[in-house]
Coordinates of all heavy atoms in Angstrom, one line a residue:
P1 N -93.9 -58.6 -38.4 CA -93.0 -59.2 -39.3 C -92.2 -58.3 -40.2 O -91.4 -58.7 -41.0 CB -93.9 -60.1 -40.1 CG -95.3 -60.0 -39.4 CD -95.3 -58.9 -38.7
L2 N -92.7 -57.0 -40.4 CA -92.2 -56.2 -41.4 C -90.7 -55.9 -41.3 O -90.0 -56.0 -42.3 CB -93.0 -54.8 -41.4 CG -94.6 -55.0 -41.8 CD1 -95.2 -53.6 -41.9 CD2 -94.7 -55.7 -43.2
P3 N -90.2 -55.5 -40.1 CA -88.8 -55.3 -40.0 C -87.9 -56.5 -40.3 O -86.9 -56.4 -40.8 CB -88.6 -54.7 -38.5 CG -89.9 -55.1 -37.9 CD -90.9 -55.1 -38.8
W4 N -88.5 -57.6 -39.8 CA -87.9 -58.8 -40.1 C -87.6 -59.1 -41.5 O -86.6 -59.5 -42.0 CB -88.6 -60.0 -39.4 CG -87.9 -61.4 -39.6 CD1 -87.0 -62.0 -38.9 CD2 -88.3 -62.3 -40.7 NE1 -86.6 -63.2 -39.4 CE2 -87.5 -63.4 -40.5 CE3 -89.2 -62.2 -41.7 CZ2 -87.5 -64.5 -41.4 CZ3 -89.2 -63.3 -42.6 CH2 -88.3 -64.4 -42.5
Y5 N -88.8 -59.0 -42.2 CA -88.8 -59.1 -43.7 C -87.9 -58.1 -44.4 O -87.1 -58.6 -45.3 CB -90.2 -58.9 -44.2 CG -90.3 -59.0 -45.8 CD1 -90.3 -60.2 -46.3 CD2 -90.4 -57.9 -46.5 CE1 -90.4 -60.4 -47.7 CE2 -90.4 -58.0 -47.9 CZ -90.4 -59.2 -48.6 OH -90.5 -59.3 -49.9
V6 N -87.8 -57.0 -44.0 CA -86.8 -56.0 -44.6 C -85.4 -56.5 -44.4 O -84.6 -56.5 -45.3 CB -87.1 -54.5 -44.1 CG1 -85.9 -53.6 -44.5 CG2 -88.4 -54.0 -44.4
G7 N -85.1 -56.9 -43.0 CA -83.8 -57.3 -42.8 C -83.4 -58.6 -43.5 O -82.3 -58.7 -44.1
R8 N -84.4 -59.4 -43.9 CA -84.1 -60.7 -44.4 C -83.8 -60.4 -45.9 O -83.0 -61.1 -46.6 CB -85.2 -61.6 -44.4 CG -84.9 -63.1 -44.6 CD -84.0 -63.5 -43.4 NE -83.3 -64.8 -43.7 CZ -82.1 -65.2 -43.1 NH1 -81.8 -64.5 -42.0 NH2 -81.6 -66.4 -43.4
R9 N -84.6 -59.6 -46.5 CA -84.4 -59.1 -47.9 C -82.9 -58.5 -48.2 O -82.3 -58.9 -49.1 CB -85.5 -58.2 -48.5 CG -86.8 -58.7 -48.5 CD -87.0 -59.9 -49.3 NE -86.5 -59.6 -50.7 CZ -86.3 -60.5 -51.7 NH1 -86.7 -61.7 -51.5 NH2 -86.0 -60.2 -53.0
I10 N -82.6 -57.7 -47.3 CA -81.3 -57.2 -47.3 C -80.2 -58.3 -47.3 O -79.1 -58.3 -47.9 CB -80.9 -56.1 -46.3 CG1 -81.9 -54.8 -46.5 CG2 -79.5 -55.7 -46.2 CD1 -81.9 -53.8 -45.5
R11 N -80.4 -59.2 -46.4 CA -79.6 -60.4 -46.2 C -79.3 -61.1 -47.4 O -78.3 -61.5 -47.8 CB -80.1 -61.2 -45.0 CG -79.6 -62.6 -45.0 CD -78.4 -62.5 -44.0 NE -77.5 -63.6 -44.2 CZ -76.4 -63.9 -43.5 NH1 -76.2 -63.4 -42.3 NH2 -75.6 -65.0 -43.8
I12 N -80.5 -61.4 -48.0 CA -80.5 -62.2 -49.3 C -79.8 -61.4 -50.4 O -79.0 -62.1 -51.2 CB -82.0 -62.6 -49.8 CG1 -82.7 -63.5 -48.7 CG2 -82.0 -63.1 -51.1 CD1 -84.2 -63.7 -48.9
R13 N -80.0 -60.3 -50.5 CA -79.4 -59.5 -51.6 C -77.9 -59.4 -51.3 O -77.1 -59.5 -52.3 CB -80.0 -57.9 -51.7 CG -81.3 -57.9 -52.2 CD -81.8 -56.5 -52.2 NE -81.0 -55.7 -52.9 CZ -81.2 -54.3 -53.0 NH1 -82.3 -53.8 -52.4 NH2 -80.5 -53.6 -53.8
A14 N -77.5 -59.2 -50.0 CA -76.1 -59.2 -49.8 C -75.4 -60.4 -50.0 O -74.4 -60.6 -50.6 CB -75.9 -58.8 -48.3
D15 N -76.0 -61.6 -49.6 CA -75.5 -63.0 -49.9 C -75.3 -63.2 -51.4 O -74.3 -63.7 -51.9 CB -76.3 -64.0 -49.4 CG -76.3 -64.1 -47.8 OD1 -75.3 -63.6 -47.3 OD2 -77.1 -64.7 -47.1
A16 N -76.4 -62.7 -52.3 CA -76.2 -62.9 -53.7 C -75.1 -62.1 -54.3 O -74.5 -62.6 -55.1 CB -77.6 -62.6 -54.3
A17 N -74.9 -60.8 -53.8 CA -73.9 -60.1 -54.3 C -72.5 -60.7 -54.0 O -71.6 -60.7 -54.7 CB -73.9 -58.6 -53.7
R18 N -72.4 -61.2 -52.7 CA -71.1 -61.9 -52.3 C -70.8 -63.1 -53.1 O -69.7 -63.3 -53.6 CB -71.2 -62.2 -50.8 CG -69.8 -62.8 -50.3 CD -69.9 -63.1 -49.0 NE -70.7 -64.1 -48.5 CZ -72.0 -64.0 -48.0 NH1 -72.4 -62.8 -47.5 NH2 -72.8 -65.0 -47.7
E19 N -71.9 -63.8 -53.4 CA -71.7 -65.0 -54.2 C -71.2 -64.7 -55.7 O -70.4 -65.3 -56.3 CB -73.1 -65.8 -54.3 CG -73.3 -66.5 -53.0 CD -74.7 -67.2 -53.0 OE1 -75.2 -67.2 -54.1 OE2 -75.0 -67.8 -52.0
R20 N -71.9 -63.7 -56.2 CA -71.5 -63.2 -57.6 C -70.1 -62.7 -57.6 O -69.2 -62.9 -58.4 CB -72.4 -62.0 -58.1 CG -73.8 -62.5 -58.5 CD -74.5 -61.4 -59.1 NE -74.7 -60.1 -58.5 CZ -75.7 -59.9 -57.7 NH1 -76.7 -60.9 -57.6 NH2 -75.8 -58.8 -57.0
S21 N -69.6 -61.9 -56.5 CA -68.2 -61.4 -56.4 C -67.3 -62.7 -56.3 O -66.2 -62.7 -56.9 CB -68.2 -60.6 -55.2 OG -66.8 -60.2 -55.0
E22 N -67.6 -63.7 -55.6 CA -66.7 -64.8 -55.4 C -66.7 -65.6 -56.7 O -65.5 -66.1 -57.0 CB -67.3 -65.7 -54.2 CG -67.2 -65.1 -52.8 CD -67.8 -66.0 -51.8 OE1 -68.5 -66.9 -52.1 OE2 -67.7 -65.7 -50.6
H23 N -67.8 -65.7 -57.4 CA -67.7 -66.4 -58.6 C -66.9 -65.7 -59.7 O -66.1 -66.3 -60.3 CB -69.2 -66.6 -59.2 CG -69.2 -67.2 -60.6 ND1 -69.0 -68.5 -60.7 CD2 -69.5 -66.5 -61.8 CE1 -69.1 -68.9 -62.0 NE2 -69.4 -67.6 -62.7
L24 N -67.0 -64.4 -59.8 CA -66.2 -63.7 -60.7 C -64.7 -63.7 -60.3 O -63.7 -63.8 -61.2 CB -66.6 -62.1 -60.5 CG -67.9 -61.9 -61.3 CD1 -68.4 -60.3 -61.0 CD2 -67.9 -62.1 -62.7
E25 N -64.4 -63.8 -59.0 CA -63.1 -63.8 -58.6 C -62.5 -65.3 -59.0 O -61.4 -65.3 -59.3 CB -63.0 -63.7 -57.0 CG -61.4 -63.7 -56.4 CD -61.5 -63.6 -54.9 OE1 -62.5 -63.1 -54.5 OE2 -60.4 -63.7 -54.3
W26 N -63.3 -66.3 -58.8 CA -62.9 -67.6 -59.1 C -62.7 -67.7 -60.7 O -61.7 -68.3 -61.1 CB -64.0 -68.6 -58.8 CG -63.7 -70.0 -59.2 CD1 -62.8 -71.0 -58.7 CD2 -64.3 -70.6 -60.4 NE1 -62.9 -72.2 -59.6 CE2 -63.7 -71.9 -60.5 CE3 -65.2 -70.1 -61.4 CZ2 -64.0 -72.7 -61.7 CZ3 -65.4 -70.9 -62.6 CH2 -64.9 -72.2 -62.6
K27 N -63.6 -67.1 -61.4 CA -63.5 -67.0 -62.9 C -62.2 -66.3 -63.4 O -61.5 -66.9 -64.2 CB -64.7 -66.4 -63.4 CG -64.8 -66.6 -65.0 CD -66.0 -65.9 -65.5 CE -66.2 -66.2 -67.1 NZ -67.5 -65.4 -67.5
R28 N -61.9 -65.2 -62.6 CA -60.6 -64.5 -63.1 C -59.4 -65.3 -62.7 O -58.5 -65.5 -63.5 CB -60.6 -63.2 -62.4 CG -61.6 -62.1 -62.9 CD -61.1 -60.7 -62.4 NE -61.3 -60.7 -60.9 CZ -62.5 -60.2 -60.4 NH1 -63.5 -59.8 -61.3 NH2 -62.6 -60.2 -59.3
A29 N -59.4 -66.1 -61.6 CA -58.3 -66.9 -61.1 C -58.2 -68.0 -62.1 O -57.1 -68.4 -62.5 CB -58.5 -67.3 -59.7
A30 N -59.3 -68.7 -62.6 CA -59.2 -69.7 -63.4 C -58.7 -69.3 -64.8 O -57.9 -70.0 -65.5 CB -60.5 -70.5 -63.6
E31 N -59.2 -68.2 -65.3 CA -58.6 -67.7 -66.6 C -57.1 -67.4 -66.5 O -56.4 -67.6 -67.5 CB -59.4 -66.5 -66.9 CG -60.8 -66.7 -67.4 CD -61.7 -65.5 -67.6 OE1 -61.1 -64.4 -67.4 OE2 -62.9 -65.5 -68.1
A32 N -56.7 -66.8 -65.4 CA -55.3 -66.5 -65.2 C -54.5 -67.7 -65.2 O -53.4 -67.9 -65.8 CB -55.1 -65.7 -63.9
Q33 N -55.0 -68.6 -64.6 CA -54.2 -70.1 -64.6 C -54.2 -70.7 -66.0 O -53.2 -71.3 -66.4 CB -54.9 -71.0 -63.7 CG -54.8 -70.7 -62.1 CD -53.3 -70.8 -61.6 OE1 -52.6 -71.6 -62.2 NE2 -53.0 -70.0 -60.8
R34 N -55.3 -70.5 -66.7 CA -55.3 -71.1 -68.1 C -54.4 -70.4 -68.9 O -53.6 -71.0 -69.8 CB -56.7 -71.0 -68.7 CG -56.9 -71.7 -70.0 CD -58.5 -71.9 -70.2 NE -59.3 -70.9 -70.1 CZ -60.2 -70.7 -69.0 NH1 -60.4 -71.7 -68.2 NH2 -61.0 -69.7 -68.9
A35 N -54.2 -69.0 -68.8 CA -53.4 -68.3 -69.6 C -51.9 -68.5 -69.4 O -51.1 -68.7 -70.2 CB -53.5 -66.8 -69.4
I36 N -51.7 -68.8 -68.0 CA -50.4 -69.3 -67.7 C -50.0 -70.7 -68.3 O -48.9 -70.9 -68.8 CB -50.2 -69.3 -66.1 CG1 -50.3 -67.8 -65.5 CG2 -48.8 -70.0 -65.7 CD1 -50.3 -67.8 -64.0
A37 N -51.0 -71.6 -68.2 CA -50.8 -72.9 -68.7 C -50.5 -72.8 -70.2 O -49.7 -73.5 -70.8 CB -52.0 -73.8 -68.5
D38 N -51.3 -72.0 -71.0 CA -51.1 -71.8 -72.3 C -49.8 -71.3 -72.8 O -49.1 -71.6 -73.8 CB -52.3 -71.0 -73.0 CG -53.6 -71.6 -72.9 OD1 -53.7 -72.8 -72.7 OD2 -54.7 -70.9 -73.0
A39 N -49.4 -70.3 -71.9 CA -48.0 -69.7 -72.2 C -46.9 -70.7 -72.0 O -46.1 -70.8 -72.7 CB -47.8 -68.4 -71.1
R40 N -47.1 -71.5 -70.9 CA -46.0 -72.5 -70.7 C -46.1 -73.5 -71.8 O -45.0 -74.0 -72.3 CB -46.3 -73.2 -69.4 CG -46.0 -72.3 -68.1 CD -46.3 -73.1 -66.8 NE -46.0 -72.3 -65.8 CZ -46.3 -72.5 -64.5 NH1 -47.0 -73.6 -64.2 NH2 -45.9 -71.7 -63.5

């Protein structure tokens, strides 16, 4: 099970990093839209 476990841990870490990146991208997009709306 050891190599499977190592691979799974890397998988989990990569998924978490991707989710954080997607959240930050969504947050930046939302802030940009809010700034545009405020300017208008």
Side-chain angles (χ1 to χ4, degrees):
L2 295 182
W4 178 88
Y5 175 78
V6 172
R8 204 65 198 168
R9 292 301 303 173
I10 293 176
R11 166 95 205 186
I12 292 171
R13 289 178 59 183
D15 284 346
R18 186 179 63 251
E19 289 175 1
R20 286 194 299 269
S21 176
E22 290 175 350
H23 175 73
L24 290 174
E25 184 177 349
W26 172 84
K27 188 176 180 180
R28 285 194 295 267
E31 289 175 350
Q33 290 293 331
R34 188 160 49 247
I36 292 173
D38 291 343
R40 287 176 177 172

